Amino acid sequence: MNHDSNHSTETKSGFLTTYLFSQDHKMIGIQFLFSGLIFFGIGGLLALLIRLQLAWPDGNLPYIGKWFPQSWGGKMSPEFYTMLFTMHASIMIFFVIIPWLTGTFGNFLIPLMIGARDMAFPKLNMFSYWVMWPAFIIILASFFVDGGAASSGWTSYPTLSNVGAEAGLEKNPVKPGEPASSYTVFKDDSFNSPSSPGAGMGQIFWLVSLIFVGIGSMMGSVNYITTILNMRAPGMDLMRMPLTVWSLFITAILQALALPVLTVALMLQLLDKLIATSFFLPPGGLSFGNWHTTPGGGQPLLWQHLFWFYSHPAVYIMILPAMGVVSDIIATFSRKPMFGYKPMVFSMAAIASLGFIVWGHHMFQSGMDPRLGTGFMLATILIAVPSAIKTFNWLATLWGASILYTTAMLNALAFVSMFVIGGLSGIFMAATPVDVYFHDTYFIVAHIHYVLFMSSIFGIFAGITFWFPKMFGRLMNEPLGKVHFALTFIFGNLTFFPMHILGIGGHPRRYYDPTIYQYLENLQPLNQFMTISAMLLGLTQLLFVINIFYSLWFGEKAGKNPWNSNTLEWDAPSPPPHGNFDQIPVVQRGPYEYAIDGPLDYLTQSSTASDGVKHHE
Amino acid sequence: MHRCWGLLFAAVNLAAIGLFAISPAMGWWLPKNIASYGADIDHLFYLILVATGFFFVITQGTLVYCMFRFNAKDGAKAKHIHGNTKLEIIWTAIPAIILLYIGFAQTPTWAKMKYIEIDTWFPIRYKGTNIESDLHVTVLGRQWEWRMRYPQGHIPADPQAWADLGNLHDLHVVNELHVWKDAKVKIHLKTQDVIHSFFMPNLRLKQDALPGKVMPMVFSPIEANVRYNPKTRILEELNPSSTWEIACAELCGGNHYRMRGKLFVHESKQDYELWFSDALKNQRIHESTRLAPVVASSNGVNP
Ligand code: HEM
Ligand SMILES: [Cu+2]
Ligand SMILES: [Cu+2]
């Protein structure tokens, strides 16, 4: 292969090409890891501000009150609050979870686990990270533009988000003797929006930033799909691939099919904002006080269909890789073969394909035809079946295992436990009549955080801890890791579990001050309790950051295969050099041959020792 | 030490169950239901709670058991097993059956809420709509209030046209929805700016208002909370704890949380009519300020 002959010259590259403009998949994965970490911190701080407001909505926050401008009365303004949750969700989803799962794990692991020297398109891979930088800069800059950051929620529904002051009609003040309906056309060059301050420049920045993210993810997907299909080591049949690779493969396909739809939708909304195209503005025109839009010819509902057609598959993009990672970690530390490898692969494929026909479950109350609702309901209910299959297979893997409680394993076990909760709450909302009540309440917020924080993030913690020695040649600190895990598990549940109860009580999401409602008064102590837990949860994450940086320099040195694991990446040195393997391994068997009788209880995928296993499939 | 992990998982899961157990007693639960179909919704909720509770206990129980029982430090030996087709079929089929049951069990309720007729034998086949109502109200969402419009005689001649254009003699009220007990109410939901969502927790009902569209909402309250006293012109609450609120459930800008309205269910149609005619008279007097809150309820009950 061409690349092989090149790589000896590339190893002598300078600092810039090694660390910044690297085309090495491992360095790109590590870049995604650290930028994700920075945004995890930013997104987390935004979350804590949200929680502060919810616990003490009458403002007057001790100390913190002084940070807010005098004009807000020394407290958070409602508009600022809407910016907080919009940016929190957007950052966590598009700058933390997706980049960590597909960017870090996808880049770092795919070539190593399939026995390739690098990605199929290393340059494209470098670009996939570097287009993230405009996105990073734009999203951060958006906090400081006129009107502030985007504030229409991460879902960014028109017409709140897309009305611009670019063109409209202003009602003339009524003079005596003149008909009341006289208007002048006006033009405002400022991009301000009459709907909310953040829907002006902030929204434009938000849209542009996400378009960059989309382009980057698209490059990544193409690369992952091609690499997995074309560059597997000899003997690495599809059905011998580790579940992590399967999950990343299916995720890449999902992303390649769904992302264009989001990108188009974002561009249409951007056109609405910039040149008043009104793709998402209704024919009748809108009025905000004295200000009227010119009649459009579009549909606000169209955005919701386009958005959820992407974003429902996207929620699986945000969990499938974690499922793969967790499967490999559980098998390794159970010292037992993965139970039901094929059902695990098929159920991921089922989740991915069903995932394309359930988007309407986000729109049961949107004004969609009720008959359509029934179809989406049935599809949504069915998608719980493959989720259940996966859960039972993880449990069956643990049954009769010989469990080693490493930090990575604990985080993986937490994933299983928490994913059960998130999956089960989904069933309430899949039931259309019940969802009428739960939609846009805290029940949804609970669901989101159980699947995304309590599942995906635990999966990510597990994966980072597990592959850290491969990335940097040193192990993360186990005791510190365990303390971090235990506290995150406790405070995470204390923070997010009561949200279910809030939802049952009918507490709407995205409320600046719920206490003005009598029926919510009772729930306020829960809100305060959750805020205190959230602060502790936030503090706990410092342990993770400390552990990473401590271990980078002072961690125990790791050999090639510190966990006695089977997959190919453990054949390479830690950290692997450019080109990964001294010699491309030849794959002999599937990835889960643990519990072997012999001197070692495992047989790596490339080991040529005869397995001596009694195979009972 | 290795045993502690199982304990930790067990404790967290037990705490979760405990919270669900104490919440109804703490008043952290579904608000009172007053919708004709509300009991069906609540039953469905409990059905799903039982089904999911069952799976919760089984899966978390198994996990915790494994964490205690199959421990390398206790010398547990792992078995070399790759899978079991029979088991796979069982744990695919059982959830599938339960889920399909939940799926089909809910369609009659959905049909009732949407006032649709469905096939008895194949309950996802729709046969037609079934909306007959004896009170029409137009609700217009805007940043940040609800504007209600009531027709004279409760049923306009051409509801569609009336919902679009209104009528000179309509009664206008802000943030107050008046209906009577057992009325079949049809709301024509509109918005003049952004998407709002008309949410009445006690009626278990929520509907987005979509710019450029008129969305139907149909319900029938089975309990009253006010009586109108024509002498004092005051709305009297029947029961001090029965304040029923209206909220906005779709983000609509900074003051989204302030779109608070109230639902008044009059004892009877007559009572509603007494209130209506007084409110209308009052509106005529203050014709110039048509959209200011109408007197009737601003006396008795706190707005
Ligand atoms: C058993 C499987 C699941 C079912 C049945 C399910 C069902 C649902 C339903 C019906 C909604 C819409 C609720 C509403 O807005 O009224 C929803 C929302 C959501 N789900 Fe799931 N879900 C499942 C799994 C997942 C997973 C695995 C993830 C992510 C990793 C996820 C992420 C989300 C998110 C982020 C939302 C909220 C979006 C928003 O409105 O902001 N769900 N889910
Ligand atoms: Cu979804
Ligand atoms: Cu609202």
Side-chain angles (χ1 to χ4, degrees), chain A residues 518, chain B residues 225 236-244:
Chain A
Q518 268 176 43
Chain B
N225 66 342
E236 293 164 354
E237 273 187 335
L238 296 180
N239 176 340
S241 66
S242 58
T243 306
W244 297 333

Side-chain angles (χ1 to χ4, degrees), chain A residues 378-556:
Chain A
L378 284 175
T380 304
I381 289 234
L382 283 181
I383 213 168
V385 175
S387 312
I389 296 175
K390 297 199 75 73
T391 306
F392 291 132
N393 278 297
W394 284 316
L395 292 177
T397 307
L398 292 169
W399 194 275
S402 170
I403 301 175
L404 288 165
Y405 288 109
T406 58
T407 306
M409 180 62 163
L410 286 167
N411 280 288
L413 292 172
F415 174 99
V416 175
S417 176
M418 299 292 100
F419 177 67
V420 167
I421 299 181
L424 292 178
S425 64
I427 296 171
F428 288 85
M429 294 134 46
T432 40
V434 180
D435 184 60
V436 173
Y437 180 73
F438 280 142
H439 175 65
D440 269 336
T441 65
Y442 256 81
F443 203 82
I444 311 300
V445 183
H447 171 71
I448 301 174
H449 287 93
Y450 267 88
V451 284
L452 293 180
F453 191 101
M454 301 302 276
S455 303
S456 297
I457 295 281
F458 270 126
I460 288 167
F461 287 157
I464 291 178
T465 319
F466 189 66
W467 282 294
F468 193 88
K470 189 54 60 185
M471 290 177 179
F472 304 108
R474 288 173 188 274
L475 293 158
M476 281 179 81
N477 185 287
E478 278 288 313
L480 192 53
K482 282 179 179 158
V483 173
H484 167 252
F485 162 74
L487 294 180
T488 306
F489 192 62
I490 293 171
F491 294 135
N493 276 296
L494 293 182
T495 305
F496 298 119
F497 200 82
M499 291 186 181
H500 293 105
I501 303 292
L502 240 57
I504 294 173
H507 190 309
R509 68 198 275 202
R510 297 169 171 169
Y511 265 26
Y512 167 78
D513 181 0
T515 58
I516 67 170
Y517 291 82
Q518 268 176 43
Y519 81 103
L520 299 177
E521 257 170 11
N522 231 351
L523 298 170
Q524 198 52 22
L526 282 178
N527 260 331
Q528 288 169 347
F529 176 79
M530 288 184 286
T531 296
I532 293 165
S533 309
M535 305 273 158
L536 295 170
L537 179 62
L539 276 181
T540 303
Q541 300 321 307
L542 292 180
L543 297 180
F544 185 67
V545 179
I546 292 171
N547 198 346
I548 284 193
F549 286 99
Y550 171 84
S551 308
L552 270 182
W553 284 283
F554 307 109
E556 190 189 326

Side-chain angles (χ1 to χ4, degrees), chain B residues 17 23 89 151 162 207 266:
Chain B
I17 295 175
S23 287
I89 292 173
W162 173 79
Q207 173 64 55
H266 292 255

Side-chain angles (χ1 to χ4, degrees), chain A residues 1-9 116-118 578-579 581-582 584:
Chain A
M1 207 186 265
N2 241 348
H3 195 70
D4 276 12
S5 48
N6 287 343
H7 90 258
S8 55
T9 49
R117 296 215 181 273
D118 205 320
H578 191 75
F581 300 95
D582 304 331
I584 290 292

Side-chain angles (χ1 to χ4, degrees), chain A residues 169-175 178-185 290:
Chain A
L169 299 170
E170 197 168 27
K171 203 175 200 168
N172 290 333
V174 184
K175 289 176 208 126
E178 215 180 310
S181 54
S182 114
Y183 296 95
T184 37
V185 178
N290 257 350

Side-chain angles (χ1 to χ4, degrees), chain A residues 66-116:
Chain A
K66 290 198 203 96
W67 303 347
F68 297 113
Q70 212 65 56
S71 56
W72 298 359
K75 56 181 184 177
M76 203 180 284
S77 74
E79 285 78 17
F80 184 71
Y81 179 77
T82 57
M83 285 170 203
L84 286 179
F85 63 69
T86 301
M87 298 307 280
H88 161 69
S90 309
I91 285 178
M92 286 302 196
I93 289 170
F94 295 107
F95 294 89
V96 180
I97 294 189
I98 295 183
W100 265 350
L101 287 176
T102 64
T104 301
F105 294 141
N107 276 306
F108 188 82
L109 295 176
I110 289 175
L112 278 169
M113 290 183 111
I114 63 172

Side-chain angles (χ1 to χ4, degrees), chain A residues 15 31 67 121 153 171 256 264-265 274 291 302 315 323 334 413 425 489-490 567 588 591:
Chain A
F15 177 85
Q31 288 167 338
W67 303 347
F121 311 116
K171 203 175 200 168
V264 166
L274 292 179
W291 189 92
L302 176 62
V315 306
M323 289 175 163
S334 295
L413 292 172
S425 64
F489 192 62
I490 293 171
T567 38
Q588 311 291 339

